[in-house]
Amino acid sequence: MNVVLVGFMGTGKTVVAKGLSERLDRSYISLDERIVEREGKPINKIFEESGEAYFRDVEKKVTQDISKLEDVVIDAGGGVVKDEENVKSLKHKGIMVCLTARPEVIYERTKHDESRPLLNVNDPKTKIKELLEKRESLYSKADYTIDTSDLTIEEVIERVINIIST
Ligand code: S3P
C-alpha cells in the first residue's frame, strides 16, 4: 500500500513524507515536484502564466500517473482533494492521511514562503481561514487525520507509522 499525505499548505506534508520515506525505506513522490518537472517552471509561474484551472488539469494528470505506483510515500499538494477523482485514484492503492493545523499555525509556517500563489495575497490570514473552511469537507474524505499544530515532525511520523501498522 502507498501512504498518501494530503492536507492544507503548511501542515507538514513534505517534511513528514520525506521522513516517512526514509523510515519505511520507500520512495518519496512529490506531486508538486512532478508538476514542476513536467511544465519546466515553478508552481507560481504556472499559476501566473496559465492560471489555476490549467494547474489543476496538470495536477490531475500527474495524480493519475502517480496513483499507479506501489509502495511509495506520496506528498500530494494541498488542493489535490478538490477533485473527487483524484481522491478516489490516490485511495485506490493507498492509505490517505490528512495533516491539519490551526489557521494561525499555518500562517506562521507559511508567511516567509512566496512559492505558494494562493497565499501570495494582501491578507493571507483571512485567505487561509477561507480556504480551510471551503475545503474542510474535502479533507475529511481522508482515512485518518492528524493535527500537527502541537507535534514535532518525529511525533507526526510516529503517528503515521502507528496508523499504517494497525
Ligand atoms: C496548493 C498547494 C500547494 C501547490 C499549489 C496549490 C493548494 O502544495 O500544489 O500551490 O491549492 O492548496 P503544498 O500544499 O505542498 O504547498
Side-chain angles (χ1 to χ4, degrees):
M1 287 297 270
N2 296 328
V3 182
V4 184
L5 295 186
V6 297
F8 201 74
M9 297 168 268
T11 52
K13 297 182 298 289
T14 300
V15 69
V16 170
K18 284 185 176 164
L20 265 176
S21 80
E22 275 178 30
R23 282 279 299 272
L24 301 170
D25 196 22
R26 296 187 191 194
S27 301
Y28 163 80
I29 306 292
S30 159
L31 174 60
D32 281 350
E33 272 176 19
R34 292 210 170 194
I35 296 171
V36 169
E37 271 166 31
R38 188 178 163 126
E39 294 299 298
K41 53 184 132 175
I43 288 176
N44 43 16
K45 270 260 173 298
I46 305 174
F47 267 72
E48 206 179 292
E49 290 174 7
S50 313
E52 180 171 352
Y54 177 83
F55 173 82
R56 297 297 171 201
D57 274 354
V58 182
E59 183 180 53
K60 184 163 186 169
K61 287 185 187 121
V62 178
T63 301
Q64 299 310 315
D65 288 346
I66 63 174
S67 295
K68 296 183 191 124
L69 300 170
E70 284 182 18
D71 294 327
V72 296
V73 179
I74 298 177
D75 169 13
V80 77
V81 294
K82 288 178 70 175
D83 186 298
E84 221 175 295
E85 279 175 35
N86 285 348
V87 175
K88 222 168 143 188
S89 311
L90 288 166
K91 274 181 151 186
H92 183 58
K93 287 187 181 182
I95 300 181
M96 186 174 278
V97 180
C98 180
L99 304 186
T100 63
R102 294 188 293 275
E104 58 277 15
V105 174
I106 291 174
Y107 174 69
E108 286 304 318
R109 289 180 185 165
T110 55
K111 68 181 177 187
H112 298 303
D113 187 347
E114 285 167 14
S115 69
R116 295 181 173 100
L118 293 177
L119 301 184
N120 257 345
V121 293
N122 286 337
D123 183 1
K125 278 187 188 172
T126 305
K127 184 76 180 177
I128 289 168
K129 284 189 191 139
E130 267 173 25
L131 281 175
L132 276 173
E133 242 168 66
K134 255 197 209 161
R135 293 183 180 175
E136 202 180 348
S137 64
L138 306 173
Y139 289 131
S140 71
K141 303 255 161 65
D143 301 304
Y144 299 90
T145 300
I146 302 171
D147 186 343
T148 67
S149 302
D150 303 309
L151 299 176
T152 64
I153 295 160
E154 277 312 312
E155 285 169 335
V156 181
I157 292 173
E158 261 336 298
R159 290 198 187 190
V160 179
I161 290 177
N162 280 341
I163 286 169
I164 61 175
S165 42
T166 50

